[in-house]
């Protein structure tokens, strides 16, 4: 573009000027504000010397290391453009790292229904599925209470008192009910 052509300045850092030889190639450095700088760099020159202190470089979508030699950069040739970006501080375990927590390690367990099934280990952290025995420890009384008899649907057990009252009869038809008539 014509606007970019007007922003080209012929800046050759002194460190780069020392490394210019017959195998020197001309490269463009584009900063974040859009200005272009023309430099001559040797294949043996380090990327950090070309870009300057405190700056990082990106070429072809790949971040360049400061110690990396220009000849080692894949695809770099005469007339290529290096993007100069500032090195950002940080990268700790604090607030900046909280935004990166966006993947799920646990999914829903088919046996207990909790989001405790570890998808890589293929084991539920709550009930121990696929193990046949339910995961249960004496040191966790509250967890045992949560899973006790009567805390769920009791699909079978809730019918037991009625069946016991009727003598666990099966098949056949029940005896006809007779009304009490006063005489």
């Amino acid at each position: 573009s014509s606007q970019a052509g007007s922003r080209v300045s012929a800046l050759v850092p002194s460190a780069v000027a020392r490394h210019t030889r017959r195998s020197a190639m001309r490269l463009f450095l584009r900063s974040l504000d859009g200005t272009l700088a023309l430099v001559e760099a040797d294949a043996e020159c380090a990327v950090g010397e070309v870009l300057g202190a405190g700056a990082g470089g990106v070429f072809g979508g790949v971040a360049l290391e400061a110690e990396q030699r220009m000849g080692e950069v894949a695809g770099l040739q005469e007339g290529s453009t290096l993007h100069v970006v500032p090195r950002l501080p940080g990268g700790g375990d604090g607030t900046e790292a909280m935004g990166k927590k966006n993947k799920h390690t646990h999914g829903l367990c088919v046996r207990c229904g909790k989001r405790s099934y570890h998808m890589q280990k293929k084991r539920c952290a709550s009930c121990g599925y696929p193990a046949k025995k339910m995961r249960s420890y004496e040191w966790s009384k509250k967890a045992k209470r949560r899973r006790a008899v009567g805390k769920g649907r009791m699909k079978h057990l809730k019918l037991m008192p009625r069946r016991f009252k009727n003598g666990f009869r099966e098949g056949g038809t029940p005896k006809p009910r007779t009304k009490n008539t006063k005489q």
Side-chain angles (χ1 to χ4, degrees), residues 34-157:
T35 58
L36 282 174
L38 180 64
V39 296
E40 288 186 3
D42 187 12
E44 296 299 316
C45 185
V47 172
E49 294 177 3
V50 175
L51 300 177
V58 176
F59 176 71
V62 179
L64 305 175
E65 298 294 327
E67 304 84 31
Q68 194 174 4
R69 301 278 169 217
M70 293 301 252
E72 298 171 359
V73 179
L76 191 67
Q77 58 189 7
E78 179 81 23
S80 295
T81 302
L82 293 172
H83 295 272
V84 182
V85 293
R87 291 273 182 215
L88 298 175
D93 296 334
T95 310
E96 310 91 26
M98 295 300 120
K100 294 182 177 256
K101 297 184 178 183
N102 59 356
K103 60 184 179 182
H104 296 284
T105 55
H106 293 84
L108 292 177
C109 175
V110 294
R111 180 160 69 183
C112 67
K114 292 185 182 177
R115 191 174 293 280
S116 306
Y117 185 76
H118 198 284
M119 290 184 273
Q120 284 185 332
K121 293 181 184 178
K122 304 287 188 240
R123 182 162 302 275
C124 179
S126 179
C127 72
Y129 179 83
K132 289 186 177 106
K133 282 190 177 181
M134 289 286 282
R135 179 183 172 273
S136 175
Y137 293 99
E138 293 300 322
W139 49 258
S140 181
K141 303 287 185 202
K142 193 181 280 187
K144 290 181 78 148
R145 282 201 308 266
R146 287 191 197 113
R147 205 173 271 141
V149 176
K151 294 294 184 177
R153 187 175 162 193
M154 291 207 326
K155 184 179 179 182
H156 172 72
L157 202 56

